[in-house]
Amino acid sequence: MKKYTELLPKLDYNGVLITDITRRFVMNDGVKLFKDRYYKTQIKQHQTPEVVSGVLYGTPDYWWVICAINDVIDPFYDWVMLDNEVYAYTEKKYDDINGVHHYQDDNYNVYESNNPESTLEPITNIEYEMYVNDTKLRINTIKPKNIKRVAKEMRDRLKLLPNQQQG
């Protein structure tokens, strides 16, 4: 049986040949069927989906299951980044990384502008992007005893996009 990555085309991404997971199968309800088998795992900032798969399952081959159940399409931006990558991303995304992204109150409710009393806390673009990045450190995973079965069921539900060719 072919590995999942062998089913997908390759693409050149910044001079590196990688699997084009943006053309992966359509998950729609397929992934949702396995939600009862998910559990949260805290990862470290430097861990890639392949590393997480290796740690949890003894092989990097289940990286695609981890990506699928965490809605990761682009592993460079949808997965957790290193702090220096967050800074570079924020500088690219915003004119001013220290500009106000939003305001929040003591209960973390978000507001687009400060109140007349100016009692809301301004959250800068870099603070916001760091927060978003930190939320990616808690991911959905599948219990090791279920990973082979879930991967097989997901692979069986594989639906290729109309313009995708199998290799």
Side-chain angles (χ1 to χ4, degrees), residues 22-145:
T22 63
R23 294 184 58 198
R24 67 185 179 170
F25 59 96
V26 179
M27 293 273 198
N28 23 18
D29 297 327
V31 171
K32 293 176 186 149
L33 291 174
F34 308 111
K35 272 199 177 235
D36 61 326
R37 298 184 196 152
Y38 295 175
Y39 70 100
K40 290 288 187 183
T41 299
Q42 184 77 24
I43 64 170
K44 296 189 182 349
Q45 201 173 44
H46 67 277
Q47 290 181 303
T48 64
E50 294 86 354
V51 169
V52 173
S53 176
V55 169
L56 292 176
Y57 311 122
T59 176
D61 293 343
Y62 297 114
W63 67 268
W64 63 274
V65 175
I66 292 168
C67 286
I69 65 176
N70 287 285
D71 296 322
V72 173
I73 302 296
D74 182 342
F76 295 101
Y77 295 107
D78 296 341
W79 191 256
V80 66
M81 293 183 250
L82 298 173
D83 286 345
N84 63 327
E85 294 169 328
V86 177
Y87 274 95
Y89 171 75
T90 305
E91 286 177 335
K92 188 174 170 182
K93 185 174 178 181
Y94 302 97
D95 291 334
D96 179 7
I97 67 169
N98 294 310
V100 176
H101 185 274
H102 65 269
Y103 296 86
Q104 66 185 34
D105 62 20
D106 293 338
N107 295 320
Y108 304 105
N109 295 312
V110 174
Y111 303 90
E112 287 186 33
S113 58
N114 208 340
N115 59 15
E117 299 82 25
S118 295
T119 58
L120 299 176
E121 180 75 23
I123 305 301
T124 65
N125 293 320
I126 190 63
E127 289 172 327
Y128 171 74
E129 293 298 339
M130 287 295 227
Y131 167 77
V132 169
N133 193 58
D134 286 348
T135 65
K136 296 175 185 176
L137 292 170
R138 285 195 47 82
I139 63 168
N140 291 319
T141 55
I142 301 289
K143 291 185 179 177
K145 70 179 184 177

Side-chain angles (χ1 to χ4, degrees), residues 151-163:
K152 181 188 180 318
E153 289 176 26
M154 289 173 78
R155 197 177 277 118
D156 289 347
R157 291 179 166 271
L158 186 70
K159 294 179 185 174
L160 299 177
L161 296 175
N163 62 348

